[in-house]
Each structure stands twice: as structure tokens, then as C-alpha cells.
Amino acid sequence: MRQFLVAITKEDDFFIARCPELNVTSQGETLEEAEENIKEAIELYIESFGTEDLSQQISKPYLTLVEVSNV
């Protein structure tokens, strides 16, 4: 079993789920649906391309907010 970092954001009426490690994106109408859909998308990616070329080391994510003045 392997873990992948997934970021889920709300955009309009959908939740968009992205796995930056694999460059895979999915969506859902609910948070739970988006999480299930990205899991399925990751599984399909692994079935198609495997994991041999992926780094075995998982890096800890760092998330922050940056304030930018209006331009």
C-alpha cells in the first residue's frame, strides 16, 4: 500500500481533487465524492503506468496562505 498527497479545493459547484505527484485530477459534487473519484483515478493511473518511475520517498507537504495586495 502507498499513500499519495491529494489536495481538494472547492471551485464553483464542484470539489476538485488533485494529486500533484502523479499529475492526476478528478472532481465530485461533494468532498467525499471527490475523494473517492481521485482514489479511483490514482488506481487507474497505477494500472496504466505503474509506480516504478516514482520516487519511493514521500515528502511532507507544506501549505501556507500568502497575502497579496490588490493590483
Side-chain angles (χ1 to χ4, degrees), residues 4-70:
F4 292 92
L5 176 67
V6 171
I8 301 176
T9 56
K10 179 103 165 93
E11 296 180 21
D12 296 322
D13 295 332
F14 291 93
F15 288 89
I16 308 301
R18 294 180 178 90
C19 175
E21 201 173 348
L22 303 176
N23 199 25
V24 172
T25 302
S26 191
Q27 68 181 18
E29 291 182 357
T30 66
L31 186 59
E32 294 79 13
E33 184 179 346
E35 190 173 341
E36 284 299 315
N37 289 344
I38 194 68
K39 182 178 177 182
E40 182 180 347
I42 290 169
E43 290 169 347
L44 290 172
Y45 177 97
I46 291 170
E47 279 182 29
S48 297
F49 302 106
T51 59
E52 294 78 27
D53 294 335
L54 299 177
S55 172
Q56 295 302 314
Q57 183 177 2
I58 298 173
S59 63
K60 288 185 178 183
Y62 174 76
L63 301 174
T64 189
L65 296 174
V66 177
E67 190 171 325
V68 179
S69 62
N70 292 339

